[in-house]
Amino acid sequence: MPQSREMAVRGGFWMIMLLAMGVLPFPHAAAEVDSARPNIIFILADDLGWNDVGFHGSAQIPTPNLDALAYSGIILNRYYVNPICTPSRSALMTGKYPIHTGMQHTVLYAMEPRGLPLSEKLLPQYLKDLGYSNHIVGKWHLGHYQLRFTPTQRGFDSHTGFWTGHHHMNDHTAVEHGHWGLDMRRGYDVAYDLHGQYTTHVLGAEAIAIVQGHNKSSPLFLYVAHAAVHSANPYDFLPAPDETVANLGHIENYRRRKFAAMMVELDRTVGSLVDALHARDMLENTIIVFSSDNGGPADGFNDNAASNWPLRGVKNTLWEGGLRAAGFIWSPLLQNVSRVSHQMVQVCDWLPTLYEAAGGNVSALPTDLDGISVWHELSSGAPTRRIEILHNIDDIWGTAALTVGNWKLVKGSHYNRTWDGWYGPAGIRDEKAYALDKLANSPAGKVMEELSLLPTPERITQLRREATVSCGAGAHMASECDPLERPCLYDVESDPCEYNNLAEEHLHILQSLLARLADYNSTAVPPSNLEDDPRGEPQHWNFTWHNFGDEPEPEVLLNEHVD
């Protein structure tokens, strides 16, 4: 493409930026690097909704450990991910929008002979260059048909978890496209011995073991990619320990109660991990990031029971409920903490941000990254250089969304608009129902108190109010539009719930965003999706999901060819 066009796409569309945000802040000056590189713990929940954590205003699901970290750190209220699993995980690992790696269309299925392109250098590989010891526990979902696509050949030193997009928490099997197979690995080996052990507990225990066995002469990068709260298999979509479910009797809807129990178990592992880090005197030099990979599947979507209330849409839609993620960053290394950030951050920003926090030279990173480092800005509270986000372009489904400043463009819709609405439950929102004592007495809360980092109850209450999205009085739907008919335009700063389409009132902004979207699309690579390969059917590999591309063609298929 002509150099001027590439500069326009990579550098930004300045007229729109000025329209939307005003004057762009100057980049920060380079800071001196501390020789002691921080430990980095990245905790990724699967399919968690905006309203499924306590720090966003609901008292329905108790998440005291996450809340204690969030209030002691920085709650990211304008933090965006991609609308579904594989695209978000690819952006996290590469620092690139999925349109630039071919991962923009739906998810990677277990029998597809593809993976995240091997030409991409991943976050753990960058950190390996800085001397990090890298470990992943949990879900990968970026390719396994050949071992060269799996975590331990892409920068991680160990992996205990699963390769595909979901599995059952007790038997560790995944049902996909009519096939059933076991998917739990310890490195390359099938972890048959873990059968019957609840996945969240397995991952929590493995994360603690890694911390306890870590040689502190090198920094640690630990990626904890939970299976929770993704739905499982048709015979048991929301598996959770019976005792935990029974203790949540205040949640009348049984499906929602089981979902909540899955989240409670995840929260408990976070508390135990914080305890383990503190016991080894590692916490004072640690960065913890918590994130969902996409918006929550609410109201039965994917047979799940998440809540994005009051945001619009669900997982795999381009509305705020599918894109705006529950997330925070915590670290004693940050300066301006115990606050709610309205700085724009996208999941692709974590690669350069964590690389810079680790002492890496960001200017030496490839120039084609879409992510930008926001480490210094998050620490200080200053505006970031992130003033626009490409949420996705999917030309197969005919959908796209882009935010520039406070303006958001939505073009097209998934599922013929079936999931374009607003879904609860709102949960218990009475501030008196929020258990501040349980937060303070949680493992993470106790550690934060010991480190003198936990805010006062009054400050916690104020932070919860600030982190709770309010849709205001504009919910009159007077100017709703059909994105299948024409693009929609929303001011997501004043109208975060996307009630009022402003396309006709601000036609010049709509046209500018459409032009910007076209610029992005001119740089897109084709989606890499492939048809299922019958070689990957689990019955050929002792009913396991397997790296079928590394093996000779199964005998049963050879016989079929002869017939």
Side-chain angles (χ1 to χ4, degrees), residues 168-198:
H168 190 277
M169 296 286 212
N170 294 318
D171 64 29
H172 306 153
T173 66
V175 176
E176 188 175 293
H177 293 178
H179 298 280
W180 174 87
L182 177 63
D183 188 19
M184 180 63 100
R185 298 270 170 170
R186 187 179 287 105
Y188 299 143
D189 297 329
V190 179
Y192 291 105
D193 60 299
L194 295 175
H195 178 79
Q197 299 183 42
Y198 193 66

Side-chain angles (χ1 to χ4, degrees), residues 71 431 434 436 456-466:
Y71 300 136
E431 287 182 354
Y434 186 67
L436 286 168
T456 64
E458 293 76 19
R459 179 58 180 158
I460 288 174
T461 299
Q462 181 60 36
L463 288 169
R464 287 186 77 240
R465 291 172 182 169
E466 293 177 16

Side-chain angles (χ1 to χ4, degrees), residues 121-135 155-158 221 355:
K121 186 173 182 178
L122 306 190
L123 173 59
Q125 294 171 312
Y126 285 107
L127 294 177
K128 180 70 72 176
D129 293 342
L130 300 178
Y132 275 75
S133 174
N134 302 321
H135 303 272
F156 288 103
D157 300 309
S158 74
F221 172 47
Y355 185 73

Side-chain angles (χ1 to χ4, degrees), residues 405-408 489-498 500 502:
N406 58 306
W407 294 106
K408 180 180 176 185
L489 181 70
Y490 298 93
D491 182 342
V492 290
E493 186 171 319
S494 62
D495 178 25
C497 299
E498 297 167 295
N500 301 304
L502 301 175

